[in-house]
Amino acid sequence: MNRRWTARLALAAGTAALLVLLLVAGFSSILLVTVGIVGVTLAAAGTWWMLTHTGPKRLLAAVLTAAAPLVVLALYTAAGLLWVVLLSIALWALAVSAGRAALVEDDAPGMPERSVDPPRRPFLIMNPRSGGGKVERFHLVQKATALGAQVAVLDPNHPQDVAELARQAVRDGADLLGVAGGDGTQALVAGVASEHDLPFVVISAGTRNHFAMDLGLDRQDPATCLEALTDGVELRVDLGRVHTKGPGDRSEERVFVNNASFGVYAAVVQSPAYRDDKAHTILAMLPDLLTHHSGARLRVRSESMHLDGPQAVLISNNPYGRGDSAGLGRRERLDSGRLGVLGLDVGNAAEATELLLRRRQGRGLTVATTREVVIDADLPVIPVGVDGESLMLPTPVRCRLDAGALRVRVPRNRPGVPHVTPPLDWGRVRHLALSMGRVAAGRDAR
């Protein structure tokens, strides 16, 4: 289905969602919508109160969060209109999905790639624990060795300096470095590859594989990533770098391929109790962190923004897609030359509710792009999450983008990076559905 017909489907489904309410429920439709909005608002407010309080107040907030939607459903059922609401919601979901799909540019340019010869002495590091044992499950060591790669398998019982392992491989003549492991391990080796201007291979053997996802690699079968050794193409991508002042004013640096996080998330992960009981630790620490009763007070400054006291900050190697302000999805490209900055600053239930309902830039959420950003605090040392690795770094912390710093070798044939879903703009959807139709009709007439 082309974009014109997808836009028409979106308009038709949206119109049908409204007609179902108006024709079946009549004037009661206004009451139905009002009750639904009130229920969602109360549930969102209850969630905020639950996260920012302890003891009896948290229990009451949890009851409100759970009861609000149940009461709404009960009211709909009592009125005999539950099926109407569910049908209208389904149609509206179809309208939103089709509307966003219609706005995706089919001819959006991807990252430039160039053909390359296979490496002569590839060196791969594999973590057998990553992704629940994907290295062994997909026989990655055997398959890589059969392709001529030298493989170093990490020993979980004896931690090794992964970066030094990669540097030694370079000294021994390796002409390609690669990693089968998590994003944190990938970032360490990517930094070494960048230092020596060597190609780098990502094998999607981690748990989330965010970097692999944005490179268009197959996350379900990491063995397919090994095709980069025999039939690969090369991409030039950016690297994020975290700079701090070490002992004696010596500058220290850490590379990130995905993001660096500051504030609430970094503080929770840094807690010694987090790994033993994640849920309990989060619930115990969030109230003080969200209300600034504990933790560092952050200050963020860049060429385009200044934030004072945000609860959380996420600095990403290239910005996340415009349709995902939460920063949990894909990046449109990895060679834009810009860092993405997401700052969260929610002070009360009203702001939390607005953020949850709107999920886009506005009060409580700041979205920006920049080449460099400095995070300072009222404490000399703050927790920082760098590609999932928890660190304690001295302030101020400077994050910058190193454009085109990494040569990434990927298979020529790969699933590809799907188009990032854009934010929904009904004006553009309507224009697309109608104007393209008129253009097509004019061509037929000619």
Side-chain angles (χ1 to χ4, degrees), residues 381-403:
V381 179
I382 59 174
V384 183
V386 180
D387 278 340
E389 300 293 324
S390 182
L391 306 173
M392 292 297 294
L393 300 179
T395 56
V397 179
R398 181 166 63 96
C399 298
R400 69 176 180 87
L401 196 81
D402 196 352

Side-chain angles (χ1 to χ4, degrees), residues 263-339:
V264 172
Y265 173 74
V268 170
V269 174
Q270 185 67 35
S271 170
Y274 177 75
R275 298 195 182 280
D276 295 330
D277 192 347
K278 294 181 180 180
H280 183 268
T281 303
I282 292 172
L283 290 175
M285 295 181 65
L286 275 182
D288 285 341
L289 291 171
L290 291 175
T291 55
H292 295 300
H293 290 154
S294 68
R297 184 176 181 86
L298 302 177
R299 296 184 296 275
V300 184
R301 63 182 187 275
S302 72
E303 60 191 18
S304 60
M305 62 175 287
H306 292 272
L307 292 176
D308 185 18
Q311 290 138 330
V313 178
L314 185 75
I315 311 297
S316 59
N317 172 22
N318 284 256
Y320 289 99
R322 292 171 298 168
D324 182 26
S325 295
L328 301 175
R330 295 178 179 272
R331 290 163 286 184
E332 295 185 23
R333 49 192 317 129
L334 294 168
D335 61 350
S336 71
R338 308 286 289 180
L339 291 170

Side-chain angles (χ1 to χ4, degrees), residues 15 35 46 54-55 75 131 143 174 213 228 239 262 265 279 310 364 411 420 438:
T15 302
V35 169
T54 59
L75 291 174
K143 291 178 180 179
M213 174 176 66
L239 277 180
F262 303 79
Y265 173 74
V420 176
R438 288 195 293 269

